[in-house]
Amino acid sequence: MNATQWQLIEALGTLGRPVHTWTGEGTKENRNAMGLTKTHTLDALCVGPLDHEGGDAIVRFPEQVLVAKATGRGSYARTTPDRYGFPRLRRARTKQHFGYVTGDLVRAVMPIGMWAGTWTGRISVRARGQHSLTTPMGRFNVSHWNLRLLQRGDGYGYSTRSESPQSTSRKTR
């Protein structure tokens, strides 16, 4: 990591702008002095020199942060292997069926049946048009006629979480 760090500093220095570095230990000292929990978001706020005795303090914190989770975009394999590694069945050459791709975020309006109502979730497409919808309440099949696209599947699942800035126990050195 140190070799990469110095190469990056040298490369950025050629741009003619000032480049400053900071250690992880300095970030930890700032975080502990402010009484903050250890999260990536709050660590980003604690980077850089702070004069704690002079009154420097971090006064604004994010209430919510965006969390992006890698979900993948499917498989390039054209066959599904059995437990011994031999081809068991052939997969379809196309990944898009009836305008939808596995991983798309959709809203389904189910008019009748056990799952009647409006549902939002990610789908797994099927060639026959009866796609599988995964919601927090479970997974069920839904016709492509009952779907409306909300977001294309880009390989990530997005959510938000609240950010609690204050630590449960304040550590001092």
Side-chain angles (χ1 to χ4, degrees), residues 61-171:
F61 305 97
E63 291 180 15
Q64 287 189 334
V65 293
L66 177 67
V67 178
K69 179 181 177 185
T71 58
R73 298 181 127 207
S75 172
Y76 288 106
R78 297 278 56 107
T79 61
T80 301
D82 62 6
R83 63 182 175 172
Y84 303 107
F86 292 103
R88 186 171 56 90
L89 56 90
R90 293 180 188 259
R91 293 183 180 160
R93 293 188 62 80
T94 59
K95 288 189 172 188
Q96 184 172 6
H97 299 285
F98 298 95
Y100 298 101
V101 180
T102 296
D104 286 350
L105 182 65
V106 297
R107 176 163 291 138
V109 179
M110 302 292 290
I112 57 173
M114 184 173 120
W115 294 94
T118 303
W119 301 91
T120 302
R122 302 239 175 239
I123 59 166
S124 297
V125 296
R126 305 290 182 260
R128 65 182 183 271
Q130 195 70 13
H131 305 318
S132 176
L133 179 67
T134 302
T135 68
M137 298 299 292
R139 181 183 295 186
F140 59 94
N141 291 335
V142 59
S143 172
H144 68 93
W145 295 107
N146 297 333
L147 297 177
R148 193 182 91 207
L149 182 67
L150 298 178
Q151 179 188 355
R152 283 280 175 208
D154 61 352
Y156 292 92
Y158 300 99
S159 63
T160 58
R161 66 171 168 80
S162 61
E163 187 69 49
S164 173
Q166 296 304 325
S167 176
T168 55
S169 65
R170 186 172 174 131
K171 295 180 183 178

